[in-house]
Amino acid sequence: GPGGKATRGGWDMPFDGKDHPVKGDHRLDTLALKRLDAHTVEAVAKKDGKLTNTMRWDISPDGKTLKWTSKRILPPDEAGTVVRIYDRQ
């Protein structure tokens, strides 16, 4: 976050693949979550009905590594892919 401060966020919605309203985020107004298997979740974010971002969380079978992949589509000046790897200490 700003100034290097830790930030938190989250959503409380089912993994049903359907669009659900999201409040408080200027980049999206709906989010659809889908559990692909015991270690993988995908999300589709939309703003005004247009796809803005897809995300995927992959947890290693041993539960020690999380890979987060975000593919931003809109706005065009922020388009691109970000991959983050988190290792449990």
Side-chain angles (χ1 to χ4, degrees):
K5 294 182 180 180
T7 60
R8 287 186 170 237
W11 307 285
D12 185 10
M13 63 186 62
F15 294 104
D16 61 4
K18 297 178 183 177
D19 290 346
H20 294 276
V22 174
K23 295 180 182 176
D25 191 324
H26 71 281
R27 295 183 182 192
L28 60 114
D29 51 28
T30 65
L31 188 67
L33 297 176
K34 186 175 182 181
R35 185 182 302 271
L36 301 181
D37 59 38
H39 302 284
T40 311
V41 172
E42 281 189 338
V44 174
K46 295 178 184 174
K47 180 73 174 178
D48 299 324
K50 295 180 182 177
L51 178 66
T52 60
N53 194 29
T54 62
M55 295 170 278
R56 182 175 169 129
W57 294 264
D58 294 284
I59 300 172
S60 62
D62 64 6
K64 293 183 179 181
T65 304
L66 169 65
K67 178 182 177 184
W68 176 74
T69 305
S70 174
K71 295 181 182 179
R72 181 161 299 284
I73 299 156
L74 293 174
D77 61 326
E78 295 180 19
T81 300
V82 174
V83 177
R84 295 181 182 162
I85 307 292
Y86 300 93
D87 291 317
R88 180 174 283 177
Q89 300 296 314

